[in-house]
C-alpha cells in the first residue's frame, strides 16, 4: 500500500498548497507572508480532526469490524465539525489588534484576508476524519478521487479568483476546493457504507 498511500499524501499536499503557488506567481511574494500566517492560524484548528483521525485509524486498522468503525466514523465526523467550529469561532473573535504586536503592522489585514478560508477549514475536517477510516481498511480509491476532484476545482478557481481578489480569492478558491473534496469523500463514504 506504500505507493498508494504516498499518492494520496502527494495529492492532498497539492490540494492544500497549490493556491500558495498561484498567489505568489500571480500577485508576487509580498502577499505570501501575510497569507502564510493566516493559514497557519486557521490550520491549527485541524489539530482536532487530525488527532481524532490518528486514534480512529489505529482502531480501524486493528479490527475486522468495518461496519462498526464506519458508524464510529460518522460520530467522529460530527464531533470533529462541532469542535472545529468552536475553535474557528475562537480564532474569529480574537481581535486584529492581537495579531499586530505579535506579527507586525503588515499583518493588520490578516483576518480580513482569511475570511473566505474559514468555511473551507471547517468543511475539510470531514475528509480528515473519513480518510482515517479508508486508510484503516486499506481503501485508497475514494481518497484519490476526492483529492483529484479538489485539485481540478482548485486549478480552475485559482486562475479566476486570485487575480481578481488576491488573498481573499486564494482563500475562496481553497474553500471551494476543500468543499468539493469533502463532498466527494463524504458521498463515497455514505454510498459505500450505507450510513
Amino acid at each position: 500500500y506504500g505507493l498508494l498511500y504516498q499518492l494520496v499524501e502527494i495529492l492532498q499536499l497539492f490540494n492544500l498548497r497549490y493556491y500558495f503557488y498561484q498567489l505568489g506567481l500571480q500577485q508576487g511574494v509580498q502577499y505570501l507572508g501575510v497569507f502564510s500566517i493566516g493559514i497557519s492560524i486557521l490550520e491549527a484548528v485541524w489539530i482536532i480532526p487530525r488527532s481524532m483521525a490518528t486514534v480512529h485509524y489505529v482502531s480501524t486498522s486493528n479490527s475486522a469490524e468495518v461496519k462498526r468503525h464506519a458508524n464510529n466514523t460518522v460520530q467522529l465526523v460530527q464531533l470533529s465539525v462541532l469542535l472545529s467550529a468552536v475553535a474557528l469561532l475562537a480564532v474569529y473573535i480574537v481581535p486584529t489588534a492581537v495579531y499586530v504586536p505579535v506579527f507586525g503592522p503588515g499583518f493588520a489585514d490578516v483576518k480580513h484576508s482569511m475570511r473566505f478560508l474559514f468555511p473551507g477549514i471547517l468543511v475539510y475536517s470531514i475528509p480528515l476524519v473519513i480518510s482515517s477510516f479508508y486508510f484503516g481498511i486499506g481503501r485508497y480509491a475514494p481518497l484519490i478521487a476526492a483529492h483529484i476532484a479538489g485539485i481540478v476545482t482548485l486549478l480552475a478557481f485559482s486562475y479566476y479568483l486570485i487575480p481578481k481578489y488576491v488573498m481573499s480569492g486564494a482563500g475562496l478558491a481553497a474553500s471551494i476546493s476543500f468543499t468539493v473534496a469533502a463532498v466527494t469523500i463524504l458521498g463515497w463514504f455514505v454510498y459505500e457504507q450505507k450510513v
Side-chain angles (χ1 to χ4, degrees), residues 102-123:
V102 175
F103 300 112
F107 294 90
D109 246 18
V110 72
K111 268 178 55 173
H112 178 73
S113 299
M114 297 293 108
R115 69 190 182 280
F116 291 114
L117 193 55
F118 275 81
I121 295 293
L122 179 62
V123 168

Side-chain angles (χ1 to χ4, degrees), residues 115-121 123 170-180:
R115 69 190 182 280
F116 291 114
L117 193 55
F118 275 81
I121 295 293
V123 168
L172 185 56
S175 282
I176 294 168
S177 167
F178 295 169
T179 302
V180 167

Side-chain angles (χ1 to χ4, degrees), residues 41-53 74-92 118 121-126 128-129:
I41 293 167
L42 290 179
E43 285 185 356
V45 170
W46 285 344
I47 290 172
I48 298 164
R50 285 184 191 274
S51 299
M52 290 179 182
V74 172
Q75 294 169 348
L76 288 173
V77 164
Q78 292 169 342
L79 182 60
S80 170
V81 169
L82 176 66
L83 293 176
S84 295
V86 170
L88 280 169
L89 180 62
V91 169
Y92 183 75
F118 275 81
I121 295 293
L122 179 62
V123 168
Y124 202 72
S125 62
I126 295 169
L128 289 173
V129 174

Side-chain angles (χ1 to χ4, degrees), residues 147-159:
H147 290 308
I148 288 174
I151 289 167
V152 169
T153 305
L154 184 59
L155 289 171
F157 281 95
S158 289
Y159 285 110

Side-chain angles (χ1 to χ4, degrees), residues 30-71:
Q30 70 271 19
Y31 291 102
L32 290 180
V34 174
F35 195 71
S36 177
I37 293 294
I39 296 296
S40 297
I41 293 167
L42 290 179
E43 285 185 356
V45 170
W46 285 344
I47 290 172
I48 298 164
R50 285 184 191 274
S51 299
M52 290 179 182
T54 301
V55 174
H56 187 51
Y57 165 73
V58 171
S59 65
T60 302
S61 63
N62 289 318
S63 173
E65 299 177 37
V66 174
K67 187 62 178 171
R68 181 171 68 85
H69 288 288
N71 291 331

Side-chain angles (χ1 to χ4, degrees), residues 6-22:
Q6 290 303 319
L7 178 61
V8 170
E9 289 297 314
I10 289 167
L11 290 171
Q12 181 181 36
L13 179 65
F14 192 84
N15 195 27
L16 294 177
R17 290 296 177 255
Y18 179 75
Y19 56 100
F20 273 87
Y21 171 75
Q22 277 303 315

